[in-house]
């Protein structure tokens, strides 16, 4: 049995994300992430407004009445959520921790997938593969993914994004949509990301917290690396230290440059800002590019 507060949190996320899906994000998802193509459904009589390019000339000639071919989308789409649950995701300085935000996003994407009759699965990882949830359809399955992202206990502490991307590529047997939810504080994942992108539609969702970029003037502060456990005391009241913190070089590759080099679309998100607008902007921009043939 899950603790009551966890059950209430899952219910809140379910209600919130379902409302967003019903309010339009489910349709945006359907438009942007399409199935394998169109398949023939039937021939019917032509009505004004039909595309003349769809006219079936053989049936039209045989019957003497214009007929058109009707096609339906062959959906059969699989979505995989690759979710980073290393210790750095437990950090949050404002309204949500990064893990809580990932849980909301995972719930939203999972419910959008099942609403469109797609299969959805999840690969949860730290510095090891923690749990693989095979893609399936159904509301209860989406709810199970949300629950596991939110409360699944992790054995690992650090991040091995490369391992997760390689595993995702080996598990997916047909072209799929892969959402990667992580803070991308990881090394050596550039090549596995490129390889995954060659066969699948990959969308990166880098999640940050504002305190990771800038420290407030709070005097002496004790900072602990959540993945290594290393703790040190710094003077956040020193302007020079705060400036150095803001300009400090990351020991990891710049995700923006990696995404650009790999041809991967990304949706930057932060724990202190609503994610709905960012998702809508992404969907509309992607649809605009698709319409322009890019």
């Amino acid at each position: 049995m899950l603790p009551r507060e966890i059950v209430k949190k899952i219910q809140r996320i379910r209600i919130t994300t379902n409302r967003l899906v019903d309010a339009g994000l489910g349709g945006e998802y359907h438009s942007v992430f399409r199935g394998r193509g169109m398949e023939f459904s039937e021939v019917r009589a032509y009505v004004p407004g039909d595309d003349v390019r769809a006219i079936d000339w053989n049936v039209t000639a045989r019957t003497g009445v214009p007929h058109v071919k009707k096609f339906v989308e062959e959906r059969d789409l699989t979505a995989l959520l690759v979710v980073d649950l290393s210790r750095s995701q437990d950090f949050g300085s404002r309204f949500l921790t990064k893990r809580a935000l990932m849980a909301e996003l995972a719930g939203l994407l999972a419910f959008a997938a099942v609403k469109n009759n797609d299969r959805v699965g999840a690969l949860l990882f730290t510095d090891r593969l923690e749990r693989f949830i095979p893609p399936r359809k159904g509301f209860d399955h989406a709810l199970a993914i949300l629950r596991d992202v939110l409360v699944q206990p992790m054995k690992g502490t650090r991040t091995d994004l490369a391992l997760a991307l390689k595993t995702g590529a080996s598990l997916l047997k047909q072209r799929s949509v892969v959402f990667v939810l992580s803070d991308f504080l990881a090394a050596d994942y550039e090549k596995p990301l490129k390889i995954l992108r060659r066969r699948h539609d990959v969308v990166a969702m880098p999640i940050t917290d504002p305190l990771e970029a800038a420290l407030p003037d709070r005097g002496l502060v004790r900072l602990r690396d959540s993945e290594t456990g290393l703790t040190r005391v710094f003077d956040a009241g020193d302007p020079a230290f705060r400036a150095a913190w803001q300009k400090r070089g990351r020991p990891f590759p710049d995700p923006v440059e990696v995404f650009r080099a790999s041809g991967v679309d990304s949706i930057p998100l932060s724990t202190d800002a609503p994610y709905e607008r960012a998702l809508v902007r992404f969907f509309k921009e992607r649809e605009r590019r698709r319409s322009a043939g890019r």
Side-chain angles (χ1 to χ4, degrees):
M1 290 284 292
L2 292 173
R4 185 174 181 181
E5 63 272 17
I6 295 297
V7 172
K8 292 177 68 174
K9 186 177 293 187
I10 291 173
Q11 290 175 339
R12 180 189 64 78
I13 295 174
R14 176 181 63 82
I15 292 170
T16 300
T17 54
N18 264 321
R19 186 174 67 246
L20 291 172
V21 169
D22 292 338
L25 281 176
E28 299 278 4
Y29 167 96
H30 182 99
S31 298
V32 171
F33 303 110
R34 296 177 179 172
R36 294 188 297 180
M38 306 298 289
E39 64 177 359
F40 174 74
S41 175
E42 62 180 343
V43 174
R44 60 167 174 77
Y46 173 89
V47 296
D50 282 341
D51 189 341
V52 296
R53 293 173 296 181
I55 291 177
D56 187 323
W57 294 107
N58 291 330
V59 176
T60 298
R62 188 169 64 250
T63 63
V65 178
H67 280 71
V68 294
K69 294 178 180 178
K70 183 181 178 182
F71 294 85
V72 296
E73 182 181 5
E74 187 181 9
R75 190 76 189 169
D76 194 27
L77 188 67
T78 295
L80 179 67
L81 312 180
V82 178
V83 186
D84 177 359
L85 295 181
S86 57
R87 288 279 177 83
S88 63
Q89 311 316 320
D90 292 331
F91 180 74
S93 63
R94 300 293 175 90
F95 308 113
L96 296 172
T97 64
K98 289 187 282 186
R99 179 165 182 172
L101 178 54
M102 286 183 188
E104 291 207 17
L105 292 166
L108 176 64
L109 294 169
F111 292 130
V114 300
K115 182 180 179 64
N116 285 282
N117 201 34
D118 295 338
R119 290 184 296 273
V120 59
L123 179 62
L124 314 183
F125 74 96
T126 55
D127 51 11
R128 65 195 74 190
L129 303 175
E130 299 283 357
R131 180 164 170 73
F132 174 59
I133 306 169
R136 295 193 184 94
K137 299 181 180 182
F139 179 83
D140 288 343
H141 180 66
L143 197 59
I145 289 176
L146 166 59
R147 179 200 63 213
D148 285 353
V149 173
L150 192 61
V151 302
Q152 173 77 21
M154 299 294 114
K155 296 179 180 178
T157 59
R158 302 194 183 191
T159 308
D160 193 338
L161 180 55
L163 174 63
L165 297 174
K166 291 175 185 176
T167 303
S170 67
L171 290 171
L172 295 170
K173 303 306 179 185
Q174 65 181 46
R175 180 172 172 80
S176 305
V177 180
V178 182
F179 297 96
V180 185
L181 288 72
S182 174
D183 54 15
F184 290 87
L185 298 176
D188 303 323
Y189 65 88
E190 300 96 312
K191 185 175 179 181
L193 185 64
K194 284 184 179 180
I195 293 173
L196 185 67
R197 173 66 180 83
R198 287 175 192 165
R199 188 177 179 191
H200 304 285
D201 186 357
V202 181
V203 178
M205 304 180 80
I207 295 174
T208 59
D209 184 274
L211 197 59
E212 294 173 325
L215 283 176
D217 182 356
R218 294 288 177 83
L220 295 178
V221 294
R222 185 184 302 274
L223 301 177
R224 183 176 68 88
D225 187 314
S226 57
E227 294 195 359
T228 66
L230 180 65
T231 301
R232 291 183 62 184
V233 175
F234 299 92
D235 184 5
D238 181 357
F241 172 74
R242 293 201 307 275
W245 176 274
Q246 191 165 5
K247 296 178 180 179
R248 75 193 189 284
R250 291 169 52 118
F252 308 112
D254 183 346
V256 175
E257 294 181 4
V258 174
F259 303 152
R260 186 181 300 116
S262 304
V264 168
D265 284 341
S266 64
I267 313 174
L269 300 162
S270 176
T271 58
D272 69 336
Y275 56 81
E276 301 94 312
R277 292 181 182 178
L279 290 175
V280 170
R281 281 197 304 270
F282 167 77
F283 287 142
K284 291 190 180 301
E285 172 61 20
R286 213 168 200 241
E287 185 63 24
R288 185 189 66 78
R289 293 205 321 261
R290 185 192 294 274
S291 300
R294 294 188 303 209

